[in-house]
Amino acid sequence: EVQLLESGGGLVQPGGSLRLSCAASGFTFSDNAMSWVRQAPGKGLEWVSGISGSGGSTYYADSVKGRFTISRDNSKNTLYLQMNSLRAEDTAVYYCAKVVVVVWYFDLWGRGTLVTVSS
Amino acid sequence: DIVLTQSPDTLSLSPGERATLSCRASQSVSSYLAWYQQKPGQAPRLLIYDASKRATGIPARFSGSGSGTDFTLTISSLEPEDFAVYYCQQRSNWPLTFGGGTKVEIK
């Protein structure tokens, strides 16, 4: 079955760190760029970060640049998002999304993992 | 950054009616625009890409049009399962951006 499964969300204090993971199955993971997209409670979608299939190119929204790091392990079919210096405004459901090969639309999404930044 | 403005915020329609949703870009995105549907508690689903191409498995009642800065998503005859929030997204420039969404609700 073609699917994405996120994990690693939870409650973290402001200034803290968290690492999200996304396990992919049912497709050739290394053939596809991948992304993280988030959605604050009751709000719209916000693209966070993207990475090429090889991992050699990475892209970030200005709101997370310098604090978040996207990476992937193609041998494990897994995508990661390392989140440091977390802020209250980072509170959101974080979705892992598969890019249409190298065309930056998202044709497969995970169910999301909730990150709550609060003291 | 390219700002995508969707209108209206909410569309109140009855099943069987035609829905017309708008997405306007702050600068040209050529045809590099997609539309997604999101239902409560679910992840988004890709409907349309490159402005007018239906994604795999998407019913023919969904159609997209436009280029440059003005785009339209049309649902020709609303089915009960079409009541949801719809987002546009551009891939013309980094960073990728989404519109704020249009909610299609039952009248």
Side-chain angles (χ1 to χ4, degrees), chain A residues 11-55:
Chain A
L11 175 63
V12 61
Q13 292 188 338
S17 298
L18 213 53
R19 188 175 86 152
L20 305 184
S21 299
C22 171
S25 58
F27 63 97
T28 305
F29 184 65
S30 58
D31 282 353
N32 292 87
M34 298 291 294
S35 252
W36 291 96
V37 177
R38 69 184 180 184
Q39 187 168 36
K43 302 298 184 183
L45 301 171
E46 180 188 14
W47 174 77
V48 172
S49 183
I51 187 168
S52 63
S54 66

Side-chain angles (χ1 to χ4, degrees), chain A residues 3-110:
Chain A
Q3 67 176 3
L4 299 170
L5 187 61
E6 302 95 337
S7 60
L11 175 63
V12 61
Q13 292 188 338
S17 298
L18 213 53
R19 188 175 86 152
L20 305 184
S21 299
C22 171
S25 58
F27 63 97
T28 305
F29 184 65
S30 58
D31 282 353
N32 292 87
M34 298 291 294
S35 252
W36 291 96
V37 177
R38 69 184 180 184
Q39 187 168 36
K43 302 298 184 183
L45 301 171
E46 180 188 14
W47 174 77
V48 172
S49 183
I51 187 168
S52 63
S54 66
S57 297
T58 57
Y59 310 90
Y60 297 95
D62 287 345
S63 58
V64 306
K65 200 173 294 183
R67 299 188 299 123
F68 290 12
T69 302
I70 191 171
S71 62
R72 63 192 298 161
D73 185 337
N74 287 344
S75 68
K76 295 182 178 179
N77 289 348
T78 303
L79 176 72
Y80 302 101
L81 186 67
Q82 177 66 44
M83 303 186 296
N84 298 332
S85 303
L86 282 161
R87 306 166 180 166
E89 54 265 36
D90 295 318
T91 294
V93 172
Y94 284 73
Y95 293 103
C96 166
K98 170 181 163 290
V99 174
V100 182
V101 190
V102 294
V103 177
W104 289 86
Y105 304 124
F106 311 114
D107 64 347
L108 178 67
W109 297 66

